[in-house]
Amino acid sequence: MAPTTENPAKSLRLACRAGTHNGPTPGLAPGYGQANLVVVPREHAFHFLLFCQRNPKPCPVLEVTDPGDPEPRLTAPGADLRTDLPRYRIWRDGRVAEETTSLLGHWPEDAVAFLLGCSFSFEAALLAAGLPVRHIEQGRNVPMYRTTIPCQPAGPFAGPLVVSMRPMTPAQAIQAALICNRFPQSHGAPIHWGDPAALGIPDIHRPDEGDPVEIRPGEVPVFWACGVTPQAAATHAKLPWMATHSPGHMFVTDMREGG
Amino acid sequence: MAPTTENPAKSLRLACRAGTHNGPTPGLAPGYGQANLVVVPREHAFHFLLFCQRNPKPCPVLEVTDPGDPEPRLTAPGADLRTDLPRYRIWRDGRVAEETTSLLGHWPEDAVAFLLGCSFSFEAALLAAGLPVRHIEQGRNVPMYRTTIPCQPAGPFAGPLVVSMRPMTPAQAIQAALICNRFPQSHGAPIHWGDPAALGIPDIHRPDEGDPVEIRPGEVPVFWACGVTPQAAATHAKLPWMATHSPGHMFVTDMREGG
């Protein structure tokens, strides 16, 4: 029998490439860092990187590829960002024009890809500490909300902060803050807990992306800056073309999660 | 009498602007963060920002200005990066073509300025902990050395890591590492201590920039990643025009140093 030494992150990427996995990635390949994807033509790469530099909580940069190169040489050598995510969004003039399972045939010659840290990366640490991660418990995608907090703009990129939410008791939220603070590349500590209206969220049971999750008696919603924020900025930037992952359908890297 | 509520950082910047201060800045305006300056034309801004993203120890980005704007709105609102540093270098084709006390008349219309964290920012914390900062004691500029450790390249920017050096006993070096680790925006913990040859430094008494300092019996040289690294990259990039501060002659921001 052939040895099966392959890492689970690579297996998952190859399943995406082969088209046999096209669902959300929370809880998959545990212990391997997951990443948000943003792809823009070279002429917009400076301003997008500047947007990330000015908004490091939602947009912690893990890797930026050289123009035209679809291989993330640092975080997953040998992978192909055009095929190795389960699901993509193609944006035209600020709107999702298409959802697709591959960017082959859609990749501009001078495309620059950005991989941004993802909150899924700290969920293993939360679970290990005995803290609840409700959307994993419930087998759902994490709920995400557009807030009324503006990001610092950069060139054409601007828009509201997007947050992810996990319900916890106040005591659990304190523990989670201490744990997540050790993961600055994965959005770090939460930015808020309690009243959703303070962030301009009208209805906690109706997320803008992902699925609603149960909030139990004694729990409050806890909010983290979210890597879907660039998708709100895409709406504002109205570039003729850009691409992102589909929310919850992340790129799984070879980076082992520490903390 | 007019009240003198002005902060010492602003006073120092205005002295630079007026031409009454043109010397090194270590130890000046204590408690205010100091920054390295790099200015490139817009067309090279993406690759320079990417160089910083790929080399965060020597190049921690504090602020990037919008193209053409000489005001660092985040770190020192109202300041002018063309006049408020004591001394600049103008680079042409990879060489220092000129040292000057002002960039007025040299500032391209689409110039993008980068402010990078500086080790001088943690020196107040070292002094407060009773650790020696020899070049301040001796009234000199900090010694800096080109190493044989390559940076991660980005576009035209490539070259060796440059380090600053402070002599300490091994026990003091351990304390310094713990303190500096709290300042990731100021190069963080040291990268090496002891044998200079391990970094490819041939003679510790002959720094490439700055001044030599005394190393006393029982002390070892302790090395930090240094914000002069982009100047080594300038040599490699050979842009027709770029500008930097002159080593040791930093931009003093309004940012209070925490840790």
Side-chain angles (χ1 to χ4, degrees):
Chain A
M1 297 223 303
T4 56
T5 52
E6 210 154 79
N7 79 52
K10 186 172 179 185
S11 302
L12 182 58
R13 292 196 302 265
L14 292 176
C16 294
R17 194 183 297 187
T20 54
H21 179 82
N22 56 23
T25 52
L28 301 184
Y32 288 87
Q34 303 200 7
N36 300 274
L37 175 71
V38 175
V39 189
V40 299
R42 167 70 179 86
E43 66 173 306
H44 298 292
F46 168 62
H47 275 133
F48 187 72
L49 186 52
L50 188 54
F51 182 79
C52 295
Q53 193 275 327
R54 290 180 176 171
N55 299 281
K57 285 281 274 192
C59 304
V61 179
L62 302 180
E63 179 165 13
V64 183
T65 59
D66 287 313
D69 187 355
E71 180 184 351
R73 295 169 190 273
L74 178 66
T75 56
D80 188 328
L81 292 172
R82 299 170 301 182
T83 53
D84 292 2
L85 283 79
R87 190 174 290 275
Y88 301 86
R89 285 177 164 181
I90 295 172
W91 298 73
R92 292 199 179 90
D93 305 318
R95 294 195 181 163
V96 179
E98 202 175 329
E99 284 224 350
T100 171
T101 58
S102 163
L103 290 181
L104 288 173
H106 295 281
W107 185 263
E109 265 185 30
D110 64 351
V112 177
F114 297 78
L115 293 172
L116 310 180
C118 169
S119 55
F120 299 167
S121 294
F122 61 62
E123 291 180 346
L126 296 179
L127 291 169
L131 297 171
V133 181
R134 187 63 34 77
H135 61 275
I136 293 182
E137 274 172 43
Q138 296 194 293
R140 298 181 186 169
N141 198 350
V142 67
M144 292 163 267
Y145 307 83
R146 231 164 286 131
T147 71
T148 50
I149 299 172
C151 289
Q152 291 295 321
F157 299 99
L161 177 68
V162 177
V163 293
S164 64
M165 189 277 287
R166 293 158 192 80
M168 297 184 180
T169 67
Q172 290 169 334
I174 290 167
Q175 274 191 275
L178 298 176
I179 290 170
C180 293
N181 192 46
R182 305 196 326 250
F183 296 84
Q185 290 285 66
S186 303
H187 307 304
I191 59 141
H192 179 63
W193 59 50
D195 186 11
L199 301 180
I201 298 171
D203 184 349
I204 198 70
H205 302 294
R206 298 185 59 170
D208 294 301
E209 303 279 2
D211 303 316
V213 296
E214 188 191 355
I215 302 178
R216 297 186 184 145
E219 290 182 339
V220 292
V222 185
F223 299 95
W224 279 258
C226 176
V228 169
T229 300
Q231 303 199 22
T235 307
H236 190 275
K238 295 188 173 57
L239 305 192
W241 185 94
M242 66 183 277
T244 66
H245 69 289
S246 185
H249 299 66
M250 318 306 290
F251 180 68
V252 180
T253 74
D254 284 346
M255 308 298 279
R256 298 311 300 264
E257 284 155 358
Chain B
M1 296 220 303
T4 55
T5 53
E6 212 154 78
N7 78 51
K10 187 172 178 188
S11 301
L12 183 58
R13 292 196 302 265
L14 292 178
C16 294
R17 194 183 297 186
T20 54
H21 179 83
N22 56 23
T25 52
L28 301 185
Y32 288 86
Q34 303 201 7
N36 300 274
L37 174 72
V38 175
V39 189
V40 300
R42 168 70 179 85
E43 68 173 306
H44 298 291
F46 168 62
H47 275 131
F48 187 73
L49 186 52
L50 187 54
F51 182 78
C52 296
Q53 192 275 327
R54 289 181 177 170
N55 300 281
K57 286 281 273 189
C59 305
V61 180
L62 302 181
E63 178 164 14
V64 183
T65 59
D66 287 314
D69 187 354
E71 180 184 351
R73 295 167 189 277
L74 178 66
T75 56
D80 188 329
L81 292 172
R82 299 170 300 182
T83 54
D84 293 2
L85 283 80
R87 190 174 288 275
Y88 302 85
R89 286 178 165 180
I90 295 173
W91 298 72
R92 292 200 179 90
D93 305 318
R95 293 195 182 163
V96 179
E98 200 176 329
E99 283 223 351
T100 172
T101 57
S102 164
L103 290 181
L104 288 174
H106 295 282
W107 185 263
E109 264 186 31
D110 65 350
V112 178
F114 297 78
L115 292 172
L116 310 180
C118 169
S119 55
F120 299 166
S121 295
F122 60 63
E123 291 180 345
L126 295 179
L127 290 169
L131 297 172
V133 180
R134 187 63 34 79
H135 61 276
I136 293 183
E137 274 172 44
Q138 298 195 291
R140 298 183 185 168
N141 198 350
V142 67
M144 294 163 265
Y145 307 83
R146 232 165 284 131
T147 71
T148 49
I149 300 172
C151 289
Q152 291 295 321
F157 299 99
L161 176 68
V162 176
V163 292
S164 64
M165 189 279 284
R166 291 159 191 80
M168 295 183 181
T169 67
Q172 289 169 335
I174 290 167
Q175 273 190 275
L178 298 177
I179 290 169
C180 293
N181 192 48
R182 305 197 324 251
F183 295 83
Q185 291 286 64
S186 304
H187 308 304
I191 60 140
H192 179 62
W193 57 51
D195 186 10
L199 301 180
I201 297 170
D203 184 350
I204 198 70
H205 302 294
R206 298 187 57 169
D208 294 301
E209 303 279 1
D211 303 317
V213 296
E214 188 192 355
I215 302 178
R216 299 187 182 145
E219 291 182 338
V220 292
V222 185
F223 299 95
W224 278 259
C226 176
V228 170
T229 300
Q231 302 199 23
T235 307
H236 191 274
K238 296 189 173 55
L239 305 192
W241 185 93
M242 66 183 276
T244 65
H245 68 289
S246 184
H249 299 66
M250 318 306 290
F251 180 69
V252 180
T253 73
D254 284 346
M255 308 297 278
R256 299 310 301 261
E257 284 156 358

